[in-house]
Amino acid sequence: MRVAAFMSGSGTNIIKLLEREKRLNTERGASPFQVIFISSDRSDGSCQGEKIAYQNGIPYFSYDIRTFHRLRGLPRRVDIPEGLAARREFDSLAKRLIEAFEVDVIALGGYMSYITLDRCVNVHPADLSVLVPDGKRKYVGDHAVLDAISAGETILRSSTLWTDQGVDTGPLLMVSDPLKVELPEPLDSLLKDRERLLYLAQEHQERLKEVGDWKIFPRTIEMIAQGRFA
């Protein structure tokens, strides 16, 4: 299975995916998937994609989404027609790369942009099996860890999913082992200090990567390549 890795920042999930590919090649003689190239929506030097690609001897492409919107004077919103049209225009380059490299699956490892392409697997820092009474997922979006801690959750989990047109609404694939929420003082007092609560949420999210994201993200890609998801 040919995989394109999309990222925006440190790329630790992509690093773990590449490590899993190498481990399978060494231990089993072959990996069922191969990362063909890395792509980023950041070209301002803040993304580690080029370094990761260089270290692993694979191609790297970057196309800065902020510059794209700024030069065109287009809103970076997908909830309005012109914003969604702009997003599709931005993705058209990646679509041509996907076709040219004959990619089967796109692995979104810390890719912080809405994407309109098909066959994308994302990893999300929350348990997407937790629902609200109307059946919708409770912890979606960029602030899922903060939302979960603020709601009084005592454990956190990561999830992998196929993406669709919604935000973290696609078919759920895997849910990780739990990370215990550890707060230095009662939640009621922390809710009055948003800056400190934000710091604690970020700290938990970094710890969650180790017990959650870095384990289920490579495993999900491997299992898809093995045909173990219908």
Side-chain angles (χ1 to χ4, degrees), residues 26-47:
T26 300
E27 296 176 355
R28 303 181 188 177
S31 169
F33 69 88
Q34 179 184 8
V35 178
I36 303 299
F37 69 83
I38 294 175
S39 179
S40 172
D41 61 351
R42 301 291 297 268
S43 303
D44 57 2
S46 62
C47 179

Side-chain angles (χ1 to χ4, degrees), residues 102-138:
E102 298 180 334
V103 166
D104 299 303
V105 166
I106 301 171
L108 305 177
Y111 189 67
M112 300 307 293
S113 293
Y114 182 91
I115 191 165
T116 61
L117 302 180
D118 297 325
R119 303 191 311 276
C120 298
V121 176
N122 192 27
V123 58
H124 179 70
D127 185 349
L128 292 177
S129 68
V130 177
L131 309 177
V132 293
D134 65 0
K136 294 181 180 179
R137 289 173 177 166
K138 188 171 184 179

Side-chain angles (χ1 to χ4, degrees), residues 49-128:
E50 184 173 10
K51 179 180 178 181
I52 296 169
Y54 173 76
Q55 291 173 339
N56 289 274
I58 55 179
Y60 173 70
F61 304 93
S62 68
Y63 187 22
D64 197 272
I65 191 169
R66 290 162 178 78
T67 302
F68 171 86
H69 282 274
R70 177 175 56 81
L71 293 177
R72 290 163 177 77
L74 297 171
R76 193 180 171 189
R77 294 174 54 189
V78 295
D79 58 338
I80 55 177
E82 57 268 35
L84 183 58
R87 181 67 232 194
R88 293 189 185 282
E89 181 186 347
F90 179 84
D91 283 343
S92 64
L93 176 61
K95 183 178 180 180
R96 292 196 294 272
L97 288 172
I98 294 300
E99 293 170 350
F101 281 84
E102 298 180 334
V103 166
D104 299 303
V105 166
I106 301 171
L108 305 177
Y111 189 67
M112 300 307 293
S113 293
Y114 182 91
I115 191 165
T116 61
L117 302 180
D118 297 325
R119 303 191 311 276
C120 298
V121 176
N122 192 27
V123 58
H124 179 70
D127 185 349
L128 292 177

Side-chain angles (χ1 to χ4, degrees), residues 123-175:
V123 58
H124 179 70
D127 185 349
L128 292 177
S129 68
V130 177
L131 309 177
V132 293
D134 65 0
K136 294 181 180 179
R137 289 173 177 166
K138 188 171 184 179
Y139 301 118
V140 299
D142 294 341
H143 306 293
V145 173
L146 175 64
D147 293 341
I149 293 176
S150 299
E153 298 289 350
T154 57
I155 60 170
L156 305 171
R157 300 178 190 264
S158 295
S159 303
T160 52
L161 69 155
W162 287 108
T163 63
D164 60 11
Q165 295 181 354
V167 177
D168 302 320
T169 56
L172 181 61
L173 297 173
M174 296 185 75
V175 178

